[in-house]
Each structure stands twice: as C-alpha cells, then as structure tokens.
Amino acid sequence: MEQHQAKGYITKKSKNSGLFQDFFKEGIDLLQGLSGANWTDYNEHDPGVTILENLAYALTELYYKTSLPIEQILADAKGGDLVSGDSGFFAPRDIFTTAPITAEDYAKVIIDRIDKVKNAWVDVVEIPVAMEIENGTITAEKVLYDIKIEKYRGIDDTSLKEEVKRVFHTCRNLGEDLLSVSLLNEVELELHLEVTLSSNSIAEKVLAEIYYRVNDYLSGAPRFYSKAEMELQDLSIEKIYDGPDMGGRFIKEGDLCPRITKVEFEEMKRIITNIDEVISVDLFDVHIHGEEILTEGYYQLEENEIAKIEIPKTDELVGYTMEKIRYKPNIKELMRYWYNLRAENYSNVRKMEAKNEKEVIAPHVPLHIGKYYSIREQFPLNYGIGAYGVSQDATPKRKAQAMQLKAFLLPFEQLMVNYLEQLEGVYSLFDPQSTKDSSYNYGEVRYSYEEMGQAGKNSHSKKINEELDALLCKDKGETSWEDVLQKLNAKVDVNAMGRLHKAMDNMLSRYAEHFPNDILRKLNMEVFGSDSSTTFERKLLSYKRKFISSYAELGAHRLQSFDYTQKDNILSHSTLVQKMALLLAVQQNSEDGVQPLREVVAQSGLRVVNLGESKSDEGNDYEIGFAEKRLEGSFGVLEDEGEQPFVLTGKSGNVLDEVLRYGVQPGNFILKSSGSGKDRQYFVDFRNKEIVYTSKSKKQAAEGMNRLIGRLQNFSENSERIYLVEHKLLYPDYNQSVFSFTLDIELKNGGVLTLYDAQKLSFEQRNIEVEKLLSDLQALANEGEKESGRSEHESKFIVEQGLGKLVVQWSGGASGELDLEGKSLNQSHPHLDSMALFKVLLSTADIKVHNKVFYGGACVDEDEMNGQMTFVLPAWPVRFQHKIFRDLFEQLVFEHAPAYMLTHIKWLDIYEMLEFENRHTAWREALSKRSGSKYFAAHAYAMHQVLMDD
C-alpha cells in the first residue's frame, strides 16, 4: 500500500467546488468591469483565465492554511511538539500552581518529594507580644515553622531530617524560617480484643481490617490522586491545580491526616463497629508496656510521640465469636491479610509517579505551512515558464515572452510566499526566546527541487533562479533577488519594534501583568536623551521576553525567597527581586547574581579624586578621572600614568551623582576649537561651564569624548542593582542561649512596671518562659481580693514596698520595680498589703512583651527582626537618582511585596554601598552554615547596623 505523504499544499479544486469557485468568479467579475470590450473571451483556453485560475487556487491554499488551529500552526512552525512555555502558552500545571504558601502546603510538598515520609505536620511557631488582662486576650506573632515527621517503618533516619530541611528551604517564602525538624517516636499500643462477627465473614480478613483501620485513625497517610480522579470530583481546572506543584499528582484539600495527640478509646470502638461484618465489640482493653490504660478513656501522647497498634503475635490477645461459638484466629492468616492491606494502601498513596517533564500542549503534525508550490508549475508546459522552460531552439521573442510572463506573475507569487512566511513566523513573533527585532517575514520565490520529481532537473531550476536574479537585479546594484527583498522588507518594517512590543504586551495581559512602558520610556528620555530611544526599545523588549519566558517561575513563586543553606547560592535573589529587576529593566540582577561593585568600579576607568583645597568656601572640589589605561585600586587618588585624563569637577558628597546625571547625555558635551594652523587646539566643553579635555587633534578629542560618555553610561548601568534583606535571617542560631525578654505592665492608674529577665535562653525556652509569666500574671490578676491566705499563684511572686517603690520578683527570674511616689497608686487602697495592691493594679493592666536577642554584648529588639525586609539600592546611577524611578520603585514595591511584610527602602552612596556589599557577602557566607558558625552573630549584627542606620 502506497504511503501518503503531506505535500504542504492542497490539490487544485474544480469549478463549482466552493471557495475556489468564489475566488474565480470574483476575479472574472472584476476583470469584466476593468477590461470592458477589450477582453471578451473568458473561456478556459484563454491565457488570462488560466492565470486567474491559478491565482484563485493559490488564494484557496492560503485560506486553508490560515484557517488551521493556531496550536497546529505554532507546532508546525516550531518543527516539534508545542510544550508548556512555548510562545507564552503554559499548561495548567505551570500557570495555576503556586509555591507552598500555607503550613498545609509545606506538609504536602514534604510528603510528595520525600518517599521516606509517611506523614508531615507543619506547625506555626508564635511568640506572645501583648496581653490584655481584663479579657485574657494574647496577641502573638507568627514567626517560624516547626515540622514533625512520621517516617515509614524500616527507614534509616540518619539523613531524613536534612532532606526535610532541604525541601523546606528550597520552597521557603519571604520572612519565613525553620525552627526545628523532629522525627516522631512510635508508641506501641497493645489491643486486647473480642468481637462478634456475622456468619459469612472471613474472620482473619475482618480482624486485619480492624487493626488496619484503627492504625489509620492513629497515623494514616494521605492518598495521592491523578488529574482524571480529581476531575471526577467535579472540580474546576483552577481548583484542581490550586496549591503546590507535585508533578501532576494531587492530595485533596482536607485529606491531610490530623495528628492524634490524644488517643480516644471510644473513637477506636466506633471505627471497629462501623465495619460491616462486625456485630459487636465484646472486649476492648488497651495496654502499654503490659499495663492497662483504659481507665482514663484516653491516652495522652507526648509532644514527640505517635501511637501505633501492634498486630498480636499470639491468639491470646484476640478472639471472635461467630454464630455463638468463640474462636481463635489463625495469626499467620491474619498477618497475611494485614500485609496485603498495607501494601494496597501504600500503592494507593504512592501509585502516581511524579512527572517533571514539560507538558505537551499540542503534538507536532508536519503541515509544511511555509512551503509554497509555485503557480508557474501549474501552467501547461507549452507556456515555457515551468521547470523545463522553453526550448533551446525557441526564438528570442518566444524566450522574451516567457520571461515577461514570469515577471508578470512574480509580484503575485512574492505576496503568496511572504504571506506563508508570515504565517509560519507567528511562532517567532510570540516566542519569548526569540532575539529577532523584525516583525515582517519574507521568502524568496524559488522552485522546489523536491517537487521536480527527478533529481536530474536540479540544474534546470538553478539556471532559472540565476535568470530571475539577473532579470530583477540588473542595474540596481544588488547582487541577488534576496538582497532586494531584504531591503524592501526593512523599508516597510520600520515599526517592527512597536509591533513586537505589542505582541509581548498582549502576552503579558494574559497573566494580568504589565510593564510600566510609558514611565520607563519617559525616564530614559529624560536621563539619556532622545538618541538612546532605539537602543532602549531593544533593551526593554529583551526584558519583556525574559519576563514571559520565566513567568511560570515568577508567577508560581512570587513570594519565594532563596535557599540560604547552600553556600554556592550566596549570589541568588528572591523571586520578588528578580521580578522587580525585570519590570524596571535592571540588568545586574540576573540569574548569575550581581557583579560586585568593586569590580564594576575597577573596570570603569573612572575615579573620584581630591583636587586639593577648594577655591571657594563650599568645600573641596573633586574630579572624575578618565584614562585609557585601567587604573588600579578603588575609589581614591587618581594615579597619573602620563596620559591626560578628562577632568569633570564638582562638590564633595555629590560629585559622582552630578557628573553621571549630566555626563551620560551627549548633548552636554560640545567640541570646540581655538587658534589656527599648528597652534589650533580642540576643547571638550562640558555643560558650557568648564573645559574638561584639550587636544591638538580633533579626531582624538572627539573619540575621547565619545569614550568618556560611553564609560559614564556603562558605569551608571553596571552600578544598578537591587538587594533585598529579610530581617528574619539576621537571627542567630535559635538553639543558642542568646534570647531574653522584658515585659511592660502598663497600669491604667499610671506608671509602667517593667520586668527584666536577666537570663539568656534558647529561642524555644525563652518563649516558654514568656508564656509561663503571662499565664501566672493572668491567674494572679483573676484572683483579685477574693482569696484569703497565700494562694498557689501568689507563691510565684515576691512583692514588696519600700522607699516609695513597689518591687516585684517572679520565681522564673524576671523582676522589676514601680515608682509609687506622685502617682497615688496606693492611696485609694490604703488597707491593702503589697501583694493585694499589685493584684488590684494588675487586674486592669495591659502587658507588652519585648523579645530580645543578644549579639555578644549588643541587645536588639526582635520587633526589628520579624515581618520586615529592606530593599537596598545604590543612589548614584543616573536612573536611580531620578524622582520618576524612585516613585515607580515604591509603587512596584507596594504592588508586588507581600502584605504581611513591612517593607523599607534604603538608598546608599557609593562608599556606603561598597561597605554594604562587603558585609552582605560575609553575612550570606556565614548564613549558609549559621548553626555551626561562630562568626555569624558578628556578621548578622553588622548587617543589622547598616539597615537600622539612618
């Protein structure tokens, strides 16, 4: 059987066959109106009709290809399967999923990515910051995560904790951190059980199900679902993918198993009786370590424990009654059913394999959309315009007629070819990976060698192509028809950049994203002048393309920070910084990180140097020095190596800002001359204020001026950078004893009693102490004057009066005193002793907790650490100096920064920025090994000082 192969075109249609006939009839009507009596023969033998038929066919072919589904057009143009991300089209998995946001999301990701984990519970750690005594309301801040893991039996747990930490830190969001990871210890409960079963039961199978279901209640594992299974739940595609990406498998909302901290025996009985074959539970005793614990009705687990019910090893612990006859089960059979249930459950949990390859949106079906079959090939051979041409013996007139017809058909054919090329070019037009800066595509009218049918005809086609070039390019200066087309296309594609921007803006609007085009263009115009607009448009287009190509990452991980545990990751940035850099066209925040400012300075050829004492009273003059040879060192004294530098003067403190602001615009430099002949000199005048360069060569002066402008522009652009520091990451190791607190008791009758805790504890121990103190104060205030004698809560406080002060000491270590003089606090209660007075005052007080952390001898309030982040930017780059940029930056921060974070913006001069980068690099390196670094606290405190310095 002959295999059919797509030709890339459709077979010529006969008359009265639809669209072809419509095109043909419309052409005839048009010709009749235009030619009148000059052309009356419209039969098929007429050459004009033949030409019209072929044009109508070509238009029909164009219509057919244009009407193909867009995904098929794109796949054919790409030459392969259309996958997620191509041309800005994303599969639901890439566009709807998000990085983990909630504690439940983190638990899902940990269970999904680590097969050793059966279950995970992620708890939010809160620290109390305030309490209202009257209503007992405690205000707390959510600051950290605590993760508890249940592993499958038989799993080596030596590296499991590190795996969990790694997964968390790769997903960590801004302002979040991990306190601890702990593996739960199994508490094996022994169940003594007697049940009555229905007569048709398989006893061992039912008993295995009982043990399995009870264990599932105590420590079940969530099940994974496929997309097809989720669709059966009548969920929308948005709802199915709402959550973290788990490789195409899903855990339903609410399916995460709650952690059982109190084993309720009645609930276990209810689970057993709900099994269809179980008629009644006749004996139910729970033992641990051989002791019965049923007396309380429940068993309270410790913080690091999880309960399991063991399968009995002998039939002494389990029995069943069937038709009033008591039996003992076959333990081996019971165990077999038990293992089958466990294996089946594990299969249900893990049966969906994660798929990490890109999802195919449309498979590639070869359509050859851009392939054009020449009209000339369809004319009868005697026309002499096909591949075989005219006979070599033909007269010159006959040959000229054939060439004339070819030329007549060429504009039509060129339009056809261009249209197909443009249709095929839709993929590159919307391809964010493209580097093209043209929006119109064109093709050459060439014969298709494959369509000749015989390989030997290639020489004929080549000859005709050469004739075509000679015919159309003669006396035009071009070497080929391709050169003509290229110049024509460039002439009509003058607004290519505008169309490419519109294509990218259209794609951005799909995701409800937009670039601040007008603001950035206005900023560029004011900063660099109109001559830079073409370069800027190309640059802006490249940033839009980068944004779209990485949108799946930017969109899903918009809150995600960086993994600080990886030492080789110290130059990485959060997703927010990457997004801000793209939206603002800041090149230095690329995936490779920021080029150190010290390197930028060293490579710039520019130096700020002191010119000596000022000639005015306004301070010292400075210069920007430019030299052909790179000068060693950083900002400092200019080293004169014998080459004349440009000298641009300004005032100390703002010379760099001022010179860059005006020096990047060519219009601020004017090349002047004076003298004549050998005495003629050329000057570079800067802003009509000062001569910055002198030379006897006009060429040398002009070239030097252009180099200076280029270096100023490059230095300004290369200095642009965005840093984001999460204050949370300045915390020292949470296990170190460097944490403390003070507690302000604000009395309604006046005064503040501050209790100071002199102890330095770990983070967790400090929080426990704070909670205990708040609880004791609340209990003491609730007692008021009702209690007689010394109560349990009073015994935790020592309260004394003396020398006009009320002195309070808590048994946990915190103590403080309140000045009573002039406040009349005890005059209204003269009969009360010190303790009673304190209780009365406390009953209407408000309490504020100030959590503290120590860096050596320096103490920092944790209010400055939690829920805050600071953007750090250089103040001197030309765009960054402008009010338009700073207003835009603040606006974008407001739009894109997470609402739960208090955001600060800090602008540094070049010396401050150099110092900041040194401290930032040292801090990031120490952060990667925070728990084991004895220098981390020093680096973190140095960073804190930079951020807090006004």
Side-chain angles (χ1 to χ4, degrees):
M1 181 177 180
E2 183 180 357
Q3 186 176 2
H4 174 74
Q5 292 184 346
K7 297 180 179 180
Y9 57 88
I10 58 175
T11 305
K12 181 178 176 181
K13 293 185 177 182
S14 60
K15 289 185 179 181
N16 302 315
S17 60
L19 187 64
F20 169 81
Q21 179 63 20
D22 292 341
F23 282 136
F24 179 77
K25 187 176 184 305
E26 185 177 348
I28 292 292
D29 293 341
L30 183 62
L31 288 172
Q32 287 176 338
L34 293 174
S35 62
N38 296 320
W39 186 5
T40 58
D41 187 357
Y42 297 103
N43 295 312
E44 291 186 351
H45 66 269
D46 187 89
V49 173
T50 302
I51 293 173
L52 179 60
E53 281 185 322
N54 283 284
L55 291 176
Y57 153 70
L59 289 173
T60 305
E61 180 188 17
L62 292 181
Y63 180 86
Y64 162 72
K65 290 184 175 181
T66 307
S67 301
L68 290 169
I70 184 62
E71 62 269 21
Q72 291 187 19
I73 294 175
L74 292 172
D76 185 73
K78 179 187 176 184
D81 292 340
L82 197 67
V83 299
S84 182
D86 285 344
S87 292
F89 293 102
F90 293 97
R93 172 185 164 188
D94 293 324
I95 206 67
F96 289 135
T97 56
T98 65
I101 297 174
T102 65
E104 186 175 283
D105 288 343
Y106 278 116
K108 287 181 180 179
V109 169
I110 291 169
I111 295 169
D112 170 65
R113 296 188 185 177
I114 307 176
D115 287 341
K116 301 174 185 178
V117 173
K118 179 181 179 183
N119 224 325
W121 295 273
V122 181
D123 299 320
V124 178
V125 179
E126 298 181 338
I127 58 173
V129 294
M131 182 174 74
E132 296 180 19
I133 291 290
E134 286 186 302
N135 54 28
T137 303
I138 295 179
T139 303
E141 287 185 346
K142 300 177 180 179
V143 293
L144 297 169
Y145 286 109
D146 178 59
I147 301 176
K148 292 180 172 59
I149 298 296
E150 179 192 4
K151 63 184 181 65
Y152 282 103
R153 286 187 172 182
I155 296 296
D156 179 17
D157 59 359
T158 53
S159 62
L160 184 53
K161 281 187 180 182
E162 293 305 315
E163 286 189 63
V164 173
K165 290 178 183 178
R166 177 183 55 79
V167 170
F168 174 86
H169 284 294
T170 56
C171 304
R172 185 183 65 85
N173 290 317
L174 288 168
E176 296 179 346
D177 205 358
L178 180 62
L179 177 62
S180 64
V181 175
S182 56
L183 304 182
L184 298 180
N185 300 319
E186 286 189 4
V187 175
E188 296 182 358
L189 303 180
E190 192 176 79
L191 181 59
H192 294 198
L193 183 65
E194 293 280 351
V195 293
T196 299
L197 305 179
S198 58
S199 59
N200 58 347
S201 303
I202 302 174
E204 286 77 8
K205 184 177 181 180
V206 176
L207 290 172
E209 186 175 356
I210 288 173
Y211 284 102
Y212 171 74
R213 288 200 186 183
V214 169
N215 268 311
D216 192 51
Y217 154 69
L218 295 174
S219 62
R223 180 188 170 187
F224 286 93
Y225 294 83
S226 66
K227 178 185 174 185
E229 289 174 317
M230 295 293 284
E231 289 174 336
L232 294 176
Q233 308 292 324
D234 292 329
L235 298 173
S236 65
I237 197 70
E238 293 88 351
K239 190 65 177 175
I240 291 174
Y241 284 98
D242 183 17
D245 179 18
M246 297 193 294
R249 54 186 185 180
F250 308 88
I251 297 176
K252 287 198 300 185
E253 187 176 346
D255 265 17
L256 287 177
C257 304
R259 180 168 168 250
I260 302 299
T261 57
K262 180 190 285 188
V263 180
E264 300 280 359
F265 300 136
E266 287 301 319
E267 178 64 18
M268 294 169 65
K269 289 181 184 180
R270 186 192 65 79
I271 291 171
I272 295 172
T273 55
N274 280 344
I275 297 174
D276 292 339
E277 293 85 352
V278 176
I279 297 174
S280 64
V281 177
D282 305 322
L283 175 65
F284 183 92
D285 288 338
V286 180
H287 295 249
I288 182 171
H289 306 310
E291 298 180 7
E292 186 175 358
I293 58 172
L294 184 58
T295 53
E296 298 293 332
Y298 66 89
Y299 178 70
Q300 183 67 49
L301 294 167
E302 297 293 334
E303 184 68 20
N304 64 336
E305 291 180 339
I306 191 164
K308 294 287 182 67
I309 292 291
E310 283 297 301
I311 297 294
K313 294 181 175 55
T314 68
D315 58 12
E316 295 178 1
L317 303 178
V318 61
Y320 64 93
T321 300
M322 190 181 295
E323 294 183 344
K324 299 182 179 181
I325 301 175
R326 188 174 180 278
Y327 299 92
K328 289 292 183 179
N330 184 322
I331 296 299
K332 287 185 179 180
E333 278 294 293
L334 192 157
M335 294 292 288
R336 184 174 68 83
Y337 282 116
W338 158 259
Y339 284 123
N340 287 342
L341 279 171
R342 284 187 61 189
E344 181 182 337
N345 174 63
Y346 186 84
S347 176
N348 286 335
V349 170
R350 298 289 178 180
K351 67 181 179 180
M352 293 301 304
E353 290 296 328
K355 297 179 180 179
N356 296 315
E357 66 274 7
K358 288 189 175 182
E359 187 173 338
V360 175
I361 296 176
H364 176 222
V365 178
L367 299 171
H368 309 295
I369 288 175
K371 194 171 185 179
Y372 176 70
Y373 189 73
S374 174
I375 292 175
R376 287 175 285 175
E377 294 296 335
Q378 303 195 73
F379 277 76
L381 292 178
N382 63 321
Y383 276 67
I385 62 174
Y388 296 93
V390 296
S391 170
Q392 293 182 355
D393 299 331
T395 64
K397 180 180 179 181
R398 179 71 186 88
K399 292 180 179 179
Q401 289 173 335
M403 292 294 287
Q404 185 180 29
L405 182 54
K406 291 178 186 179
F408 174 78
L409 293 174
L410 180 62
F412 297 99
E413 295 218 83
Q414 187 63 58
L415 287 174
M416 303 291 184
V417 171
N418 287 354
Y419 193 96
L420 290 176
E421 287 289 335
Q422 190 69 10
L423 185 61
E424 193 172 48
V426 169
Y427 180 83
S428 62
L429 186 66
F430 289 94
D431 180 15
Q433 305 293 339
S434 174
T435 57
K436 289 179 59 177
D437 56 6
S438 61
S439 63
Y440 288 161
N441 295 320
Y442 65 92
E444 294 185 71
V445 179
R446 291 297 195 229
Y447 291 109
S448 171
Y449 300 153
E450 292 80 3
E451 298 295 334
M452 295 293 182
Q454 299 180 34
K457 302 303 179 183
N458 287 356
S459 58
H460 296 285
S461 179
K462 181 177 179 181
K463 180 180 179 182
I464 292 176
N465 289 335
E466 291 173 351
E467 290 177 357
L468 183 62
D469 286 340
L471 174 69
L472 294 166
C473 304
K474 187 176 181 180
D475 299 328
K476 293 184 181 295
E478 289 87 4
T479 59
S480 68
W481 178 229
E482 182 179 1
D483 292 338
V484 176
L485 291 175
Q486 187 174 6
K487 290 183 178 180
L488 286 172
N489 192 67
K491 187 175 182 180
V492 298
D493 201 14
V494 290
N495 194 30
M497 199 57 59
R499 281 186 287 272
L500 292 172
H501 273 289
K502 285 182 179 179
M504 294 299 106
D505 289 339
N506 175 272
M507 296 171 71
L508 286 166
S509 67
R510 298 182 201 166
Y511 325 124
E513 299 280 1
H514 72 281
F515 263 64
N517 296 317
D518 294 339
I519 298 177
L520 290 175
R521 287 182 178 123
K522 181 180 180 182
L523 175 65
N524 183 76
M525 181 71 69
E526 293 193 12
V527 169
F528 296 107
S530 58
D531 293 341
S532 65
S533 59
T534 301
T535 302
F536 175 75
E537 289 299 324
R538 287 193 175 93
K539 178 181 176 182
L540 182 60
L541 178 64
S542 71
Y543 280 103
K544 289 180 181 180
R545 284 169 167 169
K546 288 179 184 177
F547 188 97
I548 293 169
S549 63
S550 57
Y551 185 73
E553 183 75 14
L554 293 175
H557 302 88
R558 63 182 64 227
L559 299 180
Q560 189 167 321
S561 186
F562 56 89
D563 181 2
Y564 68 75
T565 63
Q566 301 301 310
K567 187 176 180 181
D568 57 354
N569 209 23
I570 64 170
L571 295 178
S572 61
H573 300 281
S574 65
T575 306
L576 176 60
V577 169
Q578 295 175 34
K579 187 173 184 179
M580 295 280 288
L582 289 171
L583 290 173
L584 293 164
V586 176
Q587 70 169 3
Q588 282 296 306
N589 287 87
S590 64
E591 292 180 359
D592 299 328
V594 178
Q595 182 185 14
L597 180 58
R598 198 164 294 278
E599 292 182 11
V600 174
V601 171
Q603 295 170 8
S604 68
L606 303 170
R607 300 294 179 267
V608 176
V609 296
N610 194 336
L611 291 178
E613 296 297 322
S614 173
K615 300 175 183 178
S616 67
D617 297 331
E618 299 181 8
N620 291 338
D621 286 347
Y622 279 67
E623 72 178 9
I624 292 283
F626 165 79
E628 288 299 309
K629 293 182 179 179
R630 183 181 303 168
L631 302 176
E632 298 300 327
S634 182
F635 281 78
V637 177
L638 176 65
E639 297 178 23
D640 187 1
E641 298 184 355
E643 297 187 23
Q644 180 187 5
F646 278 81
V647 179
L648 299 90
T649 62
K651 301 303 176 187
S652 61
N654 65 357
V655 57
L656 183 61
D657 296 3
E658 184 179 342
V659 167
L660 286 178
R661 189 182 313 130
Y662 299 107
V664 296
Q665 292 201 26
N668 288 324
F669 293 89
I670 302 175
L671 188 61
K672 298 180 178 180
S673 65
S674 66
S676 61
K678 294 182 179 180
D679 296 328
R680 191 174 186 86
Q681 286 192 327
Y682 295 89
F683 307 93
V684 176
D685 189 320
F686 181 50
R687 299 178 63 206
N688 286 321
K689 288 186 176 182
E690 57 181 333
I691 302 300
V692 297
Y693 188 78
T694 306
S695 175
K696 290 188 175 182
S697 167
K698 181 178 181 180
K699 180 180 179 183
Q700 182 179 353
E703 289 177 350
M705 179 178 68
N706 291 332
R707 283 195 299 272
L708 172 63
I709 296 170
R711 289 201 174 184
L712 289 172
Q713 291 175 344
N714 289 336
F715 179 60
S716 177
E717 185 173 349
N718 293 336
S719 296
E720 293 186 354
R721 57 205 54 231
I722 303 173
Y723 285 97
L724 178 60
V725 179
E726 302 164 63
H727 296 201
K728 172 81 67 185
L729 301 185
L730 301 179
Y731 267 110
D733 183 2
Y734 297 109
N735 294 316
Q736 290 181 349
S737 297
V738 293
F739 297 90
S740 185
F741 69 93
T742 62
L743 189 144
D744 289 342
I745 303 175
E746 299 178 351
L747 307 177
K748 293 291 177 69
N749 294 329
V752 177
L753 171 59
T754 300
L755 299 181
Y756 298 90
D757 185 25
Q759 304 176 87
K760 291 182 181 178
L761 307 169
S762 70
F763 182 86
E764 196 167 5
Q765 289 172 334
R766 189 275 312 276
N767 293 345
I768 292 172
E769 289 297 298
V770 172
E771 291 173 357
K772 284 181 180 179
L773 178 53
L774 291 176
S775 177
D776 289 345
L777 288 171
Q778 179 71 64
L780 188 65
N782 291 341
E783 289 181 355
E785 299 181 59
K786 298 177 183 179
E787 297 290 337
S788 60
R790 190 160 177 79
S791 68
E792 175 187 350
H793 301 296
E794 289 181 5
S795 64
K796 296 182 180 180
F797 293 90
I798 298 175
V799 184
E800 297 175 343
Q801 288 189 66
L803 301 176
K805 297 182 183 297
L806 184 69
V807 181
V808 178
Q809 184 171 349
W810 178 55
S811 60
S815 62
E817 59 183 36
L818 173 67
D819 187 359
L820 298 176
E821 291 185 4
K823 297 186 172 61
S824 302
L825 294 175
N826 61 345
Q827 293 178 7
S828 58
H829 304 282
H831 62 287
L832 298 180
D833 61 19
S834 300
M835 177 61 74
L837 176 61
F838 178 55
K839 291 164 68 174
V840 170
L841 297 176
L842 189 62
S843 63
T844 57
D846 289 332
I847 297 177
K848 291 185 178 178
V849 181
H850 301 281
N851 295 294
K852 308 286 185 180
V853 58
F854 285 86
Y855 298 89
C859 180
V860 174
D861 196 317
E862 289 180 35
D863 286 344
E864 299 174 359
M865 317 280 277
N866 295 320
Q868 297 190 50
M869 60 184 183
T870 298
F871 283 99
V872 180
L873 302 95
W876 68 91
V878 188
R879 294 198 312 149
F880 285 28
Q881 292 184 46
H882 206 289
K883 186 177 184 300
I884 289 178
F885 183 91
R886 296 196 179 193
D887 289 346
L888 176 60
F889 186 83
E890 290 184 9
Q891 176 186 334
L892 291 178
V893 167
F894 178 78
E895 290 179 4
H896 298 284
Y900 61 83
M901 297 288 285
L902 177 62
T903 304
H904 310 276
I905 302 173
K906 197 170 186 67
W907 302 90
L908 303 181
D909 66 30
I910 193 162
Y911 302 105
E912 293 170 333
M913 198 71 186
L914 284 166
E915 179 61 24
F916 168 80
E917 286 198 356
N918 289 338
R919 295 187 181 189
H920 184 269
T921 301
W923 166 66
R924 284 287 295 267
E925 289 179 350
L927 181 62
S928 65
K929 49 183 183 296
R930 174 167 57 177
S931 60
S933 173
K934 60 181 180 180
Y935 302 110
F936 175 76
H939 295 310
Y941 185 68
M943 278 297 298
H944 176 270
Q945 292 299 96
V946 172
L947 300 180
M948 295 297 113
D949 184 13
D950 294 331

